[in-house]
Amino acid sequence: MTNEIDLGIIEKYLMDKIAQNEDFVVCSFFEIRIKLDISEDQETEFLRFAKIRLENLGYDVYFTGAKYTYQNEERVVQDNELIVAIKNQQ
């Protein structure tokens, strides 16, 4: 795979994740790196695009190690999770 990422693949992946749970989206290391075959070099571009796309859809986006609150519970994005996105309720 080249260093360029097919944005259509990322878009489809995100829409599939949102269809599974519209309020809470988790993008795992395994799904992104293994299932989608995103290389380590491509990961930054993937995360940048996914963040922009999810924010445009009304989500708050958090990356590995970040603290967030969901359902009145404080949590941390785990090491095996690259992105957690929570739908804004506003």
Side-chain angles (χ1 to χ4, degrees):
M1 190 174 231
T2 66
N3 275 348
E4 287 190 26
I5 297 177
D6 182 346
L7 298 181
I9 291 172
I10 300 171
E11 178 73 17
K12 180 181 180 334
Y13 169 76
L14 292 175
M15 293 302 103
D16 288 346
K17 295 298 287 185
I18 290 169
Q20 291 172 16
N21 185 345
E22 185 177 11
D23 296 325
F24 187 75
V25 175
V26 177
C27 303
S28 73
F29 176 89
F30 178 79
E31 291 171 334
I32 294 168
R33 294 291 298 280
I34 307 303
K35 286 187 173 181
L36 294 181
D37 194 27
I38 301 295
S39 72
E40 187 175 348
D41 293 339
Q42 296 169 321
E43 186 178 308
T44 301
E45 184 179 350
F46 174 93
L47 295 174
R48 183 180 59 79
F49 176 80
K51 179 181 188 295
I52 291 168
R53 184 68 180 117
L54 289 165
E55 286 178 341
N56 286 343
L57 291 170
Y59 288 84
D60 292 323
V61 179
Y62 304 91
F63 296 106
T64 306
K67 293 180 182 180
Y68 64 95
T69 302
Y70 180 65
Q71 295 181 336
N72 296 319
E73 182 180 321
E74 191 166 304
R75 303 178 185 193
V76 176
V77 181
Q78 300 300 304
D79 290 339
N80 65 334
E81 300 169 334
L82 297 179
I83 297 175
V84 168
I86 302 168
K87 184 75 168 177
N88 281 325
Q89 299 302 316
Q90 301 173 357

